[in-house]
């Protein structure tokens, strides 16, 4: 995957900078073209000569060389790169990236980059666990920067815990996976639904649930980044999202509107992923006026809503894929398998509320998937972005 790819490597000042020599070596061995930018403090940890020798290119450190009068054009460097990898990315550089501070060539190139940017953070234990870092990484994540997670282990300070930069081999395979999946959904049209529905009771009240839509939006963004043309039917969530430019968003309120939009869009799609937490019941009648608390009890008569996923399962043609979600509190595998069969799905993604960090509102999720043949895969607790990757990778095997 890396052969002939242009990899721009930004190196910040941290002890992990010494490992960059190995990253460059692996990249060159894989046939990539490598150019390196170093910050001033990076030079204290590894010599530019080492990196220019290994990369077979001059190393860029300043905007201009006063002696030769040469100007290092950050825009050109950014355009040259198929991927801009910043490793190690220090807390200082991450903070500047998240806040638009541009006081060196590495950062100016970041702010000019149009192609994917990947960072491999590295820092000491306390810095790694500081809430500021989490905030800044969240900002970068929203800005579409991919983050290679820390490794845990002994740190330069002698402390032990998360903060180590991922090993060069891990970074190399991350880049390779990233490139192999970068456009694999080109020309595919995918329907995703997400979020809750609100079923009106009167003009001010509704029946709803705690879904934020984060999982479905992560799926839509992952698919769009991989080249798919995505239609996202999104329920009423108050969470603010950034949507990739390949996503068309249809906003709906009720289960009926969810059904109508999905049934309209699905026939022209290659696949659908239905992650929305659709209300199963809606009030039989909605009053035009606010219900007054004139009596001690109030009985609402509810009727079943349309089951969008089951309807798409009926509409599904031989070459279309369909993935549903199941939220279970008991007999999870059995119940989810029942839904997979009843709704004619290729795959069902099972969440349980019992797993810590999984479910509504969290940024992480823990899933188990069950396919048509009954094969069960259990995944670790991961960020919803990583979970989206796992699900989209599985979808790739379904629609080929
Ligand atoms: N679903 C749907 N329309 C509904 C209810 C659910 O499309 N009216 C979809 C969900 O988007 C999800 C899947 O069906 O992909 C399973 O949802 P879940 O709430 O787990 O199960 P239900 O089918 O509603 O069954 P139950 O509530 O009895 O577990």
């Amino acid at each position: 995957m890396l052969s002939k790819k242009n990899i721009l490597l930004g190196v910040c000042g941290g002890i992990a900078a010494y490992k960059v020599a190995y990253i460059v070596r692996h990249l060159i061995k894989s046939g990539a073209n490598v150019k390196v930018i170093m910050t001033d403090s990076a030079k204290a940890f590894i010599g530019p000569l080492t990196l220019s020798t290994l990369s077979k290119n001059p190393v860029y450190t300043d905007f201009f060389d006063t002696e030769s009068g040469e100007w290092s054009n950050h825009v050109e460097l950014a355009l040259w790169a198929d991927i801009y990898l910043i490793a190690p990315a220090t807390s200082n550089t991450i903070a500047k990236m998240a806040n638009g501070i541009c006081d060196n060539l590495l950062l100016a190139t970041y702010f000019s980059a149009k192609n994917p940017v990947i960072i491999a953070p590295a820092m000491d234990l306390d810095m790694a666990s500081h809430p500021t870092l989490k905030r800044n990484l969240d900002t970068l994540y929203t800005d579409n920067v991919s983050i290679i997670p820390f490794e845990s282990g002994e740190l330069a300070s002698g402390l032990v815990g998360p903060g180590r930069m991922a090993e060069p081999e891990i970074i190399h395979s991350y880049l390779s996976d990233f490139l192999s999946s970068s456009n694999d959904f080109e020309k595919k049209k995918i329907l995703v639904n997400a979020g809750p529905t609100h079923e009106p009771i009167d003009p001010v009240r509704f029946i709803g649930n705690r879904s934020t839509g984060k999982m479905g939006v992560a799926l839509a963004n992952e698919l769009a980044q991989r080249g798919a043309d995505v239609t996202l039917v999104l329920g009423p969530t108050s969470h603010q999202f950034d949507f990739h430019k390949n996503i068309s968003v249809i906003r709906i309120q009720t289960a009926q509107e969810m059904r109508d939009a999905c049934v309209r869009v699905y026939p022209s799609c290659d696949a659908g992923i239905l992650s929305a937490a659709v209300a199963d019941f809606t009030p039989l009648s909605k009053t035009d006026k606010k219900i007054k608390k004139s009596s001690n009890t109030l009985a609402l008569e509810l009727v079943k809503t349309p089951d969008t996923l089951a309807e798409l399962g009926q509409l599904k043609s031989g070459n279309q894929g369909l993935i549903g979600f199941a939220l279970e509190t008991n007999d999870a595998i059995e119940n989810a398998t029942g839904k997979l069969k009843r709704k004619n799905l290729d795959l069902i993604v099972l969440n349980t509320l019992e797993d810590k960090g999984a479910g509504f509102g969290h940024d992480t999720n823990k899933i188990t998937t069950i396919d048509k043949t009954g094969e069960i895969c259990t995944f670790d607790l991961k960020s919803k972005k990583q979970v989206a990757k796992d699900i989209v990778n599985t979808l790739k095997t379904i629609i080929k």
Side-chain angles (χ1 to χ4, degrees), residues 274-276 278-280 305-309 324-328 339 343:
L274 272 67
S275 69
V278 183
D280 288 331
T305 55
D307 188 322
T308 306
L309 183 61
F325 273 63
L327 181 65
E328 303 295 344
K339 283 176 196 171
K343 302 193 188 193

Side-chain angles (χ1 to χ4, degrees), residues 132-184:
T132 318
L133 179 78
K134 185 179 179 311
R135 271 203 306 277
N136 289 334
L137 287 178
D138 285 348
T139 304
L140 293 189
Y141 173 79
T142 328
D143 293 346
N144 232 349
V145 173
S146 300
I147 300 161
I148 307 179
F150 290 126
E151 281 181 10
S152 221
E154 193 173 336
L155 297 156
S157 61
L159 295 172
V160 177
R164 285 166 66 99
M165 184 175 82
E167 288 301 322
E169 296 75 18
I170 303 282
I171 293 178
H172 185 264
S173 60
Y174 188 98
L175 293 186
S176 179
D177 289 351
F178 188 92
L179 283 166
S180 74
S181 64
S182 61
N183 246 348
D184 55 351

Side-chain angles (χ1 to χ4, degrees), residues 185 188-195 213-224 228-235 243 246-252 258 261-262 265-266 269-277 308 312 321-323 325 388 391-392 395:
F185 275 81
K188 298 283 183 210
K189 243 187 121 198
I190 315 285
L191 163 70
V192 178
N193 78 3
K214 283 183 185 173
M215 189 63 245
V217 174
L219 281 162
N221 275 328
E222 173 68 18
L223 285 158
D229 172 4
V230 181
T231 301
L232 172 67
V233 185
L234 183 60
F243 301 110
N246 293 357
I247 303 177
S248 325
V249 184
I250 302 175
R251 298 301 297 245
I252 56 89
M258 177 64 89
C262 291
V265 172
Y266 185 62
C269 290
D270 297 285
I273 307 184
L274 272 67
S275 69
T308 306
L312 298 195
L322 189 59
I323 298 182
F325 273 63
I391 296 170
V392 170
L395 176 62

